[in-house]
């Protein structure tokens, strides 16, 4: 794609300028994401559905692939348009230290907090703002080899909750979740280098 | 068969080890002369009467000495490795050099001169190829190619920078009068700079194998050291030609020729190696009938690639590296699993052996009065410059590279990279190759090189570990994590991989994606056996084929059963880790070490299982306050969390190879995903409730049964062995990724009993067309395409009996239960009962999870 064709291409992208401003993606990033979006959109409907995602073969090998797909779709919604797609993907943009947004604005979608939020809702399936023992257990079950028996899983979940649960209500709230991951370099662990 | 193959390779190996030292001895006519005289006397005396026995020393002398040397070197290594407390402080390479000093001293004391030294011919033609071929063959390809850009920049630009800067600075100091009166010109300095510039893979590996730095740092240092050997040899040859040409005759045209030759030699060598790699891959497609010698091809052709490149004056080192890198994937898929293991072992034997010999002889070579010429200025300045310029080079190049990396190379990693610039035998070999008629101060250069080698290998080698610890370099894995962090880290990994998949960027790199397509389309077709290809397809394109087409058409068509269910169930599993921790520590130390090391990223670098045992016990003792259960839980997580694709890069280690666990996990995850999808599909289509969670009671039962089955386990494994000896085709080890020619049938029989939870038994009974699994077995060879996918799924069951015992004793029992149950089934038990016995495979699909159903 030459630069001339790419600029004309840009016009096809819905809300391009708004998205660039909001997510911090460059035009080239956006263009690439748009191409990908169209590629995934098998029916050319302008919207993605869950099965468009599941058609990506390598996702089948991802133990939490289903959850990640699920997190693209807000509860009750079955379709995903391009702007929403980009907004979700923007969570994974590396944080750039020199790009200081003026403080009055919303915090950027790729901030540490937002990244954590995204990770949190992978666990919190019922959306009540807490990770319950059962919810944690489900993730563990998906993530652990079959060699681990159920009792062990349960005790692991129990322990993990105990570790993180500061107010002793037997669930992990978002604050507790954030505190427990304080030492983890989220910026690095939850960023990929988007191609231009 | 396995054993005989191994023995064969051993012979080949010892032969290869034998040549070097024979060359070594041939290099010393004086010594052979003196001993020949004494032998002559023997010969004469035996003529006069009929000898009962004769002493024929000259007859066997050469091979005898060679073998004796190898034996001594190995013994030395054995003694050194027996002292863990020493090797944990001083790296083995340094100790081997010191061992060489002692041996050299003894020889010197006996002969009054150094009879045995490391000659360039022996080193470059016989010892080095073995080490480099192993490095190429076991190269973690993914990691290597991910960082190839950085590695190439360090290897090419960095090495040229080192050579030029060291050469020029020395020359400057010489002009400034720092070295007194020596006869070295600018070109000679540059020549010397080029031979001293390269970091040595043998030395680097020997040290870095023991300090467990993070894998990116490791591959950068190691990859650089491997490739820059090629570069430095090329540079050396170019400058050598310049020196022969003499200063005045060098004009612009010659310099241009030199630069062109640099690229031709380097890239020509790499290309030649790739051609040989592809040739090996092609050959292994057709070695089905000569399994015993098929491993030999790799060694012979690998060596040929080295020699051919040497003959064409291309870079032999690059040639053999790329030969190994290119062929590993295809030959591992094409060859019989036993042959693959044989190749790996034999490769390690050769590489480790020649590495040992190289270090010992590096030590021995020092004890020689003739080569030592001391020039304080020259030697100290050289040492200073190589260190300073390496630091400058690394930091400058990294500064540029970091602009293009997602995860920049950290400051501390850069320090370690600079400090890891160990010089080794390649530099020494090149120095000895210098032509004394053209370079008057050859001996000074040799002694300087030796000093540099000893300083870097011994001093930097010893201080590397404390430095790594002191600087808190990011290690291969961090241990002090909370449970939630541990889980969360894995979640992050999987998440990133998924997002990359969704955004269509496979592993940061679009080009690699393209390459993969190309490879899938062309390379694999040409280079892999059809059968191996099938296995591969099944791994990588699993989803489409099985989920969308087969599963749907299966159900729609009328419930052919016996396809996807996993017999292997978690209920059969006891809490092994816990048990071992409590009861079996003394009884089965090996097993404990094995299991603890299985999933541990660091342990492939460990040289011996024993320390891992003691470590663990130590750890438990230290955390006496915490409950042991807690420790156990951590261990359990450590070992059983699925690793995401990113984590699956195994490390390079010369003295160990590590069977990648990768495939098994991929299998498990895949089976699981499939099951979930089938279930959601089923419940959506038929309104049938998903199978209930396994009840505790059943689980206990199963465990009980498991234990009983353990009793029979021995017999079972015996049967496997005998099977395996009598007919190769029936090899029960068939279903490893490396692939066998005919794994289908046996696998099916052994691992059968896989059933699809989506197919209800009662429906099965009503279906007249349905083929029971035991009949399907016989049908298999001519099986229709409808049955095939399910078998493929099974073929990939992650167990191989040969691995079982080592990896997790538990699995033996799981496995034997399978066949155990199969036996039951073949006694035509009613199907329904069977199905009750087989609880739906773990883990049961979580309810909210299914909401995201995708069918």
């Amino acid at each position: 794609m030459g630069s001339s064709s790419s600029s004309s291409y840009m016009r096809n992208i819905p809300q391009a300028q708004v998205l660039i401003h909001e997510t911090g993606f460059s035009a080239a990033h956006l263009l690439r994401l748009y191409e990908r979006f169209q590629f995934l959109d098998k029916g050319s409907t302008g919207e993605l559905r869950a099965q468009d995602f599941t058609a990506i073969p390598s996702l089948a090998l991802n133990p939490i692939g289903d959850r990640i797909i699920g997190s693209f779709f807000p509860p009750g919604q079955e379709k995903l348009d391009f702007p929403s797609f980009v907004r979700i993907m923007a969570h994974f943009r590396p944080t750039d230290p020199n790009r200081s947004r003026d403080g009055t604005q919303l915090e950027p979608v790729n901030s540490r907090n937002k990244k954590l939020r995204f990770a949190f809702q992978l666990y919190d399936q019922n959306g009540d703002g807490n990770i319950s023992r059962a919810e944690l257990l489900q993730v563990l079950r998906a993530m652990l080899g079959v060699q681990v028996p159920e009792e062990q899983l349960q005790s692991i979940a129990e322990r993990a909750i105990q570790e993180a649960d500061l107010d002793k209500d037997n669930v992990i709230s978002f604050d507790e979740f954030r505190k427990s991951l304080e030492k983890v370099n989220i910026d690095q662990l939850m960023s990929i280098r988007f191609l231009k | 068969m396995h054993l005989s193959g191994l023995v064969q390779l051993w012979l080949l190996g010892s032969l290869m080890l034998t040549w070097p030292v024979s060359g070594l001895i041939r290099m010393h006519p004086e010594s052979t002369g003196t001993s020949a005289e004494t032998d002559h006397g023997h010969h004469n005396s035996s003529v006069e009467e009929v000898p009962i026995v004769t002493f024929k020393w000259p007859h066997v002398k050469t091979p005898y000495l060679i073998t004796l040397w190898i034996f001594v070197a190995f013994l030395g290594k054995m003694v050194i490795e027996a002292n863990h407390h020493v090797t944990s402080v001083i790296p083995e390479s340094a100790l081997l050099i010191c061992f060489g000093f002692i041996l050299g001293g003894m020889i010197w004391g006996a002969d009054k001169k150094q009879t045995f030294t490391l000659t360039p011919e022996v080193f470059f033609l016989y010892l080095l190829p073995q080490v480099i071929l192993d490095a190429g063959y076991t190269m973690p390809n993914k990691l290597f190619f991910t960082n190839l850009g950085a590695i190439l920049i360090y290897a090419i630009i960095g090495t040229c920078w080192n050579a030029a800067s060291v050469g020029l600075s020395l020359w400057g100091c010489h002009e400034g009068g720092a070295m007194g009166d020596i006869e070295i010109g600018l070109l000679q300095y540059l020549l010397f700079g080029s031979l001293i510039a390269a970091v040595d893979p043998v030395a680097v590996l020997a040290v870095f194998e023991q300090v467990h730095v993070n894998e990116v740092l490791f591959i950068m240092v190691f990859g650089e050291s491997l490739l820059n050997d090629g570069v430095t040899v090329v540079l050396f040859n170019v400058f050598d030609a310049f020196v022969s040409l003499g200063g005045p005759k060098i004009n612009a045209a010659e310099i241009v020729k030199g630069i062109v030759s640099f690229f031709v030699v380097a890239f020509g060598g790499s290309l030649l190696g790739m051609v040989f790699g592809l040739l090996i891959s092609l050959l292994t497609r057709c070695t089905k009938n000569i399994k015993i010698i098929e491993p030999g091809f790799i060694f012979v052709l690998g060596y040929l690639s080295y020699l051919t490149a040497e003959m064409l004056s291309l870079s032999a080192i690059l040639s053999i590296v790329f030969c190994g890198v290119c062929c590993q994937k295809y030959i591992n898929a094409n060859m019989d699993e036993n042959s693959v293991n044989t190749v790996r072992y034999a490769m390690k034997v050769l590489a480790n052996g020649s590495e040992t010999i190289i270090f010992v002889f590096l030590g021995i070579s020092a004890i020689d009065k003739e080569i030592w010429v001391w020039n304080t200025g020259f030697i100290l300045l050289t040492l200073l410059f190589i260190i300073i310029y390496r630091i400058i080079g690394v930091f400058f190049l990294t500064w540029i590279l970091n602009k293009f990396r997602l995860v920049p190379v950290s400051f501390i990693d850069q320090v370690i990279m600079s400090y890891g610039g160990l010089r080794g035998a390649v530099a020494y070999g090149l120095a000895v190759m210098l032509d004394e008629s053209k370079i008057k101060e050859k001996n000074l250069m040799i002694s300087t090189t030796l000093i540099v080698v000893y300083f870097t290998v011994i001093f930097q080698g010893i201080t590397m570990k404390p430095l790594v610890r002191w600087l808190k370099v990011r290690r291969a894995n961090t241990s002090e994590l909370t449970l939630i962090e541990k889980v969360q880290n894995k979640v992050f990994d999987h998440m990133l991989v998924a997002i990359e998949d969704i955004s269509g960027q496979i592993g940061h790199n679009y080009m690699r994606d393209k390459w993969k397509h190309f490879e899938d389309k062309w390379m694999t077709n040409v280079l892999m056996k059809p059968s191996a290809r099938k296995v591969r397809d099944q791994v990588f394109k699993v989803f489409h084929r099985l989920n969308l087409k087969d599963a749907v058409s299966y159900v729609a068509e009328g419930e052919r059963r016996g396809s996807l269910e996993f017999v292997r169930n978690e209920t059969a599993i006891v809490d092994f880790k816990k048990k071992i921790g409590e009861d079996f520590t003394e009884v089965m130390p090996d097993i404990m070490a094995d299991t603890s090391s299985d999933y541990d990223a660091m342990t492939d670098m460990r040289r011996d299982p024993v320390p891992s045992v003691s470590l663990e016990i130590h750890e438990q003792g230290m955390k006496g306050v915490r409950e042991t259960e807690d420790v156990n839980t951590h261990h359990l997580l450590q070992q059983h969390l699925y690793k995401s694709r990113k984590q699956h890069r195994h490390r390079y280690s010369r003295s160990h190879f590590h069977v990648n666990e990768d495939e098994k996990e991929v299998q498990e995850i895949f089976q699981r995903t499939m099951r979930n999808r089938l279930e959601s599909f089923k419940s959506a289509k038929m309104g049938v409730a998903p199978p209930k969670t396994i009840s505790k009671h059943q689980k206990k039962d199963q465990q009980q049964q498991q234990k009983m089955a353990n009793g029979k386990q021995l017999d079972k494994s015996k049967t496997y062995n005998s099977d395996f000896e009598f007919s190769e085709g029936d090899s029960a080890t068939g279903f490893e990724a490396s692939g066998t020619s005919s794994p289908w049938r046996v696998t099916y029989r052994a691992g059968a009993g896989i059933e699809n939870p989506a197919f209800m038994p009662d429906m099965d009974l009503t279906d007249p067309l349905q083929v029971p699994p035991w009949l399907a077995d016989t049908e298999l060879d001519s099986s229709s395409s409808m049955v095939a996918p399910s078998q493929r799924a099974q073929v990939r069951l992650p167990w191989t009996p040969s691995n079982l015992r080592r990896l997790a004793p538990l699995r033996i029992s799981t496995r034997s239960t399978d066949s155990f149950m199969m036996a039951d089934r073949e006694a035509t038990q009613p199907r329904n009962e069977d199905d009750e016995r087989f609880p739906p495979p773990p883990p049961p699909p979580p309810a909210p999870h299914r909401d995201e159903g995708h069918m």
Side-chain angles (χ1 to χ4, degrees), chain B residues 156-171:
Chain B
I156 297 176
I157 301 180
T159 308
C160 291
W161 154 258
N162 277 352
S165 56
V166 171
L168 288 175
S169 310
L170 283 175
W171 179 69

Side-chain angles (χ1 to χ4, degrees), chain B residues 163-183:
Chain B
S165 56
V166 171
L168 288 175
S169 310
L170 283 175
W171 179 69
C173 294
H174 175 82
E175 293 292 293
M179 312 193 182
D181 186 24
I182 49 175
E183 252 184 82

Side-chain angles (χ1 to χ4, degrees), chain B residues 536-819:
Chain B
R536 198 171 164 274
D537 273 356
Q538 198 263 335
V539 182
F540 288 103
K541 306 204 171 123
V542 271
F543 184 79
H544 269 326
R545 194 134 34 84
L546 287 174
N547 187 26
L548 294 182
K549 202 174 78 202
D550 294 342
V552 173
S553 67
Y554 246 33
V555 178
E557 219 194 311
E559 299 86 57
R560 204 169 280 256
R561 66 169 272 155
S563 61
L564 288 171
E565 184 176 292
F566 234 163
V567 165
R568 177 174 54 121
N569 41 44
E570 73 185 14
T571 56
I573 287 161
V574 282
D575 180 5
F576 175 69
K577 191 70 210 170
K578 209 163 158 184
K579 242 189 157 149
I580 287 295
E582 284 161 17
D583 315 331
F584 295 140
T585 318
E586 296 147 50
V587 194
M588 307 196 285
D590 307 5
I591 296 179
M592 178 153 176
D594 273 345
T595 45
S596 65
S597 65
D598 263 356
Y599 291 80
D600 189 337
M602 264 167 61
T603 26
D604 18 326
M605 315 274 298
R606 273 187 204 151
R607 299 197 159 219
D608 199 313
V610 180
S612 74
V613 173
S614 51
L615 261 180
E616 259 181 38
I617 293 167
H618 184 58
E619 190 179 81
Q620 295 205 354
M622 291 232 307
K623 293 176 182 161
V625 197
R626 291 169 79 176
E627 295 168 61
T628 33
E629 205 184 326
D630 209 15
V631 179
N632 283 333
T633 313
H634 271 273
H635 274 303
L636 206 69
L637 268 186
Q638 184 100 14
Q639 286 157 38
H640 293 302
L641 272 174
Y642 286 128
K643 293 167 189 113
S644 78
R645 268 209 315 264
K646 285 166 91 186
Q647 299 296 316
H648 273 309
R649 301 150 175 171
H650 58 236
R651 285 164 160 277
Y652 178 84
S653 150
R654 182 163 304 136
S655 26
H656 285 294
F657 61 84
H658 166 80
V659 184
N660 205 352
E661 238 84 359
D662 206 332
E663 307 293 349
K664 299 176 186 173
E665 289 189 7
V666 167
Q667 265 313 296
E668 273 177 24
I669 298 172
F670 169 66
Q671 303 265 8
R672 202 183 277 192
T673 319
M674 280 303 299
R675 216 162 34 233
N676 280 350
R677 295 199 172 150
L678 276 173
E679 269 156 16
S680 60
F681 174 78
K682 185 192 64 181
S683 49
K685 270 266 182 327
M686 309 188 173
V688 183
K692 279 272 153 274
T693 321
I694 324 137
S695 75
K696 285 283 163 55
H697 180 65
Q698 264 178 330
K699 206 176 272 185
K700 288 274 145 46
D701 263 2
Q702 210 78 54
Q703 285 189 6
Q704 214 74 57
Q705 202 170 352
Q706 192 58 48
K707 277 170 197 155
M708 311 228 305
N710 278 345
K712 306 206 171 181
Q713 178 188 312
L714 271 178
D715 307 351
K716 219 62 197 177
S717 58
K718 262 182 211 156
T719 334
Y720 280 133
N721 283 339
S722 55
D723 254 351
F724 166 59
E725 271 164 26
F726 292 134
S727 59
E728 301 172 357
D730 261 6
S731 149
T733 54
F735 31 82
E736 186 73 335
S738 30
T740 18
S741 45
S742 54
W744 314 131
R745 182 158 52 139
V746 185
T747 324
Y748 189 76
R749 196 190 295 148
I754 283 186
E755 290 162 299
N756 194 324
F759 307 130
M760 305 304 282
D762 45 349
M763 292 178 188
D764 273 344
L765 290 174
T766 61
D767 181 15
L769 286 176
Q770 162 243 2
V771 180
W774 58 89
L775 287 184
D777 183 13
T778 52
E779 243 188 17
L780 245 151
D781 286 332
S782 58
S783 77
S784 66
S785 61
M786 273 169 13
V787 192
S790 50
Q791 271 121 34
R792 261 177 247 133
Q794 289 174 35
V795 160
R796 303 278 312 138
L797 278 186
W799 331 124
T800 56
S802 62
N803 280 350
L804 284 177
R805 230 151 307 157
R806 270 185 42 75
L807 294 181
L810 269 179
R811 290 183 178 168
I812 303 179
S813 26
T814 325
R815 167 55 173 271
S816 58
T817 324
D818 287 354
S819 0

Side-chain angles (χ1 to χ4, degrees), chain A residues 36 66 123 141 147 195, chain B residues 488 672 677 811 852:
Chain A
R36 181 65 182 174
D66 290 346
Y123 292 92
R141 214 180 267 138
Q147 296 95 323
L195 294 175
Chain B
Q488 191 55 43
R672 202 183 277 192
R677 295 199 172 150
R811 290 183 178 168
E852 314 149 15

Side-chain angles (χ1 to χ4, degrees), chain B residues 160-411:
Chain B
C160 291
W161 154 258
N162 277 352
S165 56
V166 171
L168 288 175
S169 310
L170 283 175
W171 179 69
C173 294
H174 175 82
E175 293 292 293
M179 312 193 182
D181 186 24
I182 49 175
E183 252 184 82
I184 305 181
L186 172 60
L187 278 177
Q188 276 98 328
Y189 272 119
L190 285 174
L191 179 62
F192 177 70
S194 70
L195 75 85
I196 206 82
V199 176
D200 186 80
V202 184
V204 162
L205 203 66
V207 169
F208 273 74
E209 208 170 74
Q210 296 180 350
V211 290
H212 311 292
V213 296
N214 61 70
E215 51 188 14
V216 174
L217 177 56
F218 179 81
I219 198 73
M220 295 246 230
V221 178
F222 175 54
E224 182 205 347
S225 68
L226 203 56
L227 296 190
N228 75 6
D229 267 342
V231 175
T232 199
V233 174
V234 176
L235 268 185
F236 178 83
N237 286 335
V238 171
F239 280 116
D240 199 33
F242 281 166
V243 170
S244 318
L245 213 57
K249 283 194 200 146
I250 298 174
N251 50 29
E254 297 299 330
I255 292 177
V256 170
K257 269 198 226 162
I259 295 173
V260 171
S261 118
F262 175 86
F263 285 102
V264 170
V265 168
F267 287 98
S270 315
L271 212 65
L272 186 78
M274 290 179 196
V275 170
F276 267 91
L278 300 186
L279 197 67
I280 297 176
S281 315
L282 273 178
L283 257 180
T284 49
R285 275 190 72 161
C286 343
T287 48
K288 199 170 69 192
N289 301 322
I290 45 163
K291 288 212 172 99
I292 297 287
I293 60 166
E294 80 183 345
F297 280 117
I298 287 98
F299 296 94
V300 172
L301 278 177
Y303 192 45
L304 267 185
S305 83
Y306 187 88
L307 293 180
T308 312
E310 192 74 42
M311 180 176 74
L312 300 175
S313 77
L314 300 174
S315 169
I317 296 176
L318 289 178
S319 169
I320 201 168
V321 167
F322 280 99
C323 177
V325 167
C326 283
C327 73
Q328 53 165 272
K329 178 171 172 189
Y330 303 108
I331 60 176
N332 285 353
N334 279 345
M335 286 195 308
D336 188 80
E337 194 198 336
N338 293 318
S339 305
V340 173
N341 279 339
T342 311
V343 169
R344 286 176 174 158
Y345 265 111
M347 205 80 100
K348 291 295 173 202
V349 171
L350 294 180
N352 220 325
S354 66
E355 183 197 85
T356 309
I357 292 171
I358 288 171
F359 280 123
V360 169
F361 273 89
L362 264 183
I364 293 177
S365 304
I367 315 295
D368 187 356
K369 214 161 62 183
E370 285 164 27
I371 61 163
W372 284 108
V373 179
W374 191 265
N375 180 322
T376 314
F378 187 80
I379 291 173
L380 287 185
L381 281 172
T382 308
L383 260 183
L384 183 74
F385 287 145
I386 64 158
I387 293 174
I388 286 181
Y389 287 121
R390 168 132 184 119
I391 294 175
I392 295 176
V394 166
F395 274 79
F396 178 69
L397 292 176
T398 318
W399 177 70
I400 296 175
L401 281 171
N402 270 350
K403 301 191 162 190
F404 300 96
R405 293 178 66 87
L406 170 67
V407 182
V409 181
S410 72
F411 176 78

